[in-house]
Amino acid sequence: MDSDWESVMQFVSDPLDVDYSNNKQNVRSPMQVPTPPQSHDGSPVMDDPSEGHTLVSVSTTFFPGAQHLPVQPDTVLLSSDNVFFYVHSHLLIAASENGFRGHLPQPPSSSKQGQNPIISLPENSKVLNVILHAVYDMSCAHYSPTFPCLVSAVNRLPVYGIRPKSRIAPSMPLFSILLSHAPLYPIELYALAASFDLYDLAVSTSSHLLSFSLATITDEMAERIGPVYLKRLFFLHFGRSDALKRVLLPPPHPHAPTPLCDFTEQKKLTRAWALASAYLAWDARPDLSTSTMESALRPLAEHLTCEGCQQALRDRIKNLVVQWSVVKRTI
């Protein structure tokens, strides 16, 4: 019997089965469930006439007896899809600047003797689950929340008086799970970070935007990103394109003249380099890879008969790769 089942046993009389799905557990009982059904906002308990059972959905993380803290939860949050979350009011109050949207602290008269107050919220269980994990500084990665769900949760944090900056930092779980979506949703995540001035998240995400076409940014997206972070993104692209042209420009360094290859002969390599580098610079993409550079420049050696020129070309390509690899890749 696992810990979640044992916790359910504390408040469900004679449970028959538990169905674990996503962030909730469904508990069926043929008897009355003392808490949480008695809610003045309407009972979320659903009766099954065919079996005479009562179905109650409770969070698999925030349930009675969950060992988040040595003290027991004293408040119950009810999501819009009727899932109960047992939480500690003092943690919510400490994380919130508006008493969790004015819901806390609850006056003693608002709940019956011996029962935790029940607060109905407009968030669905998936979004509320992410919000509460952020408050408790716990990772919700094992629930595999979708990116839209994470975005909704972050956008709702200020509604409950929680500053996103205080919950989304490099050392915090929510930062890590958001950043894990950067490869698939780079501009959306960058816009989210920019809208709340989450600089560290925006910086980490910007490296995934090197291949993004700035021309596809919509007016709505630009408005959400804002002028400061939009400028930083443009400067990242323009800066890398300019840097590419600068590092490409110098030709291979000429070697000392020999009877078979004087300075005039070496001009052939200089002209060939100029043509190849111009080809790369013409479409100077900020995400140009070093392998693309090498594949465009190494074939020049096939037309060189002088070993000194070939070595100069190899040295120049090696130096170019090093220079390009150290150009800043983030805002």
Side-chain angles (χ1 to χ4, degrees):
M1 184 176 293
D2 58 32
S3 60
D4 283 353
W5 176 256
E6 293 171 354
S7 300
V8 173
M9 290 284 286
Q10 297 180 22
F11 69 99
V12 178
S13 301
D14 190 23
L16 298 181
D17 62 84
V18 179
D19 175 25
Y20 292 91
S21 60
N22 198 10
N23 64 337
K24 63 185 179 181
Q25 52 193 359
N26 294 330
V27 184
R28 292 183 182 273
S29 171
M31 302 180 65
Q32 183 180 9
V33 183
T35 303
Q38 292 83 356
S39 169
H40 63 278
D41 293 322
S43 173
V45 178
M46 295 172 285
D47 294 326
D48 188 344
S50 63
E51 299 181 7
H53 291 167
T54 299
L55 181 65
V56 178
S57 298
V58 181
S59 166
T60 54
T61 297
F62 303 96
F63 57 89
Q67 300 302 311
H68 305 312
L69 291 174
V71 296
Q72 289 295 313
D74 58 5
T75 301
V76 182
L77 302 182
L78 177 60
S79 66
S80 61
D81 51 350
N82 295 329
V83 179
F84 293 97
F85 294 80
Y86 285 72
V87 295
H88 301 81
S89 60
H90 70 278
L91 280 183
L92 300 185
I93 294 172
S96 174
E97 296 176 347
N98 64 2
F100 211 69
R101 203 183 184 185
H103 293 299
L104 300 171
Q106 289 288 316
S109 60
S110 66
S111 61
K112 297 182 180 180
Q113 184 66 26
Q115 292 184 351
N116 296 331
I118 299 177
I119 302 171
S120 295
L121 300 178
E123 321 304 331
N124 65 50
S125 58
K126 294 180 180 180
V127 172
L128 184 56
N129 187 50
V130 174
I131 293 175
L132 292 178
H133 274 79
V135 170
Y136 279 74
D137 199 20
M138 298 164 55
S139 174
C140 60
H142 55 289
Y143 289 109
S144 300
T146 63
F147 182 71
C149 174
L150 291 170
V151 172
S152 297
V154 173
N155 285 329
R156 295 295 289 175
L157 287 177
V159 174
Y160 293 98
I162 303 170
R163 293 186 300 108
K165 271 189 173 183
S166 68
R167 299 294 157 181
I168 307 174
S171 60
M172 295 182 173
L174 187 52
F175 181 97
S176 300
I177 192 171
L178 282 169
L179 189 57
S180 69
H181 290 273
L184 292 179
Y185 304 97
I187 190 63
E188 294 84 358
L189 183 57
Y190 185 81
L192 179 69
S195 63
F196 293 110
D197 192 23
L198 303 173
Y199 179 74
D200 292 319
L201 183 59
V203 169
S204 299
T205 304
S206 63
S207 63
H208 297 276
L209 287 168
L210 296 179
S211 60
F212 181 77
S213 174
L214 299 178
T216 63
I217 296 179
T218 63
D219 292 344
E220 180 183 0
M221 186 67 70
E223 184 176 354
R224 186 171 188 196
I225 294 174
V228 174
Y229 282 89
L230 191 61
K231 174 185 174 183
R232 288 171 176 169
L233 181 58
F234 271 76
F235 275 33
L236 170 63
H237 277 237
F238 295 158
R240 282 184 61 85
S241 297
D242 289 342
L244 176 60
K245 295 173 183 177
R246 289 196 304 270
V247 297
L248 277 172
L249 181 61
H253 189 72
H255 61 78
T258 65
L260 297 178
C261 186
D262 55 15
F263 287 124
T264 301
E265 187 69 19
Q266 293 180 50
K267 287 182 179 179
K268 295 180 181 179
L269 174 58
T270 301
R271 288 193 293 268
W273 179 272
L275 289 174
S277 60
Y279 164 76
L280 290 173
W282 177 260
D283 187 26
R285 296 176 57 87
D287 64 332
L288 182 68
S289 65
T290 55
S291 60
T292 301
M293 284 183 174
E294 293 185 90
S295 62
L297 298 172
R298 285 195 181 280
L300 298 179
E302 298 174 2
H303 305 283
L304 301 174
T305 57
C306 173
E307 177 60 32
C309 289
Q310 291 179 352
Q311 184 60 47
L313 177 62
R314 288 193 292 268
D315 292 343
R316 179 66 184 92
I317 293 176
K318 181 179 179 180
N319 179 261
L320 173 62
V321 168
V322 171
Q323 286 182 303
W324 182 238
S325 63
V326 298
V327 175
K328 190 177 180 182
R329 297 177 56 84
T330 61
I331 60 172

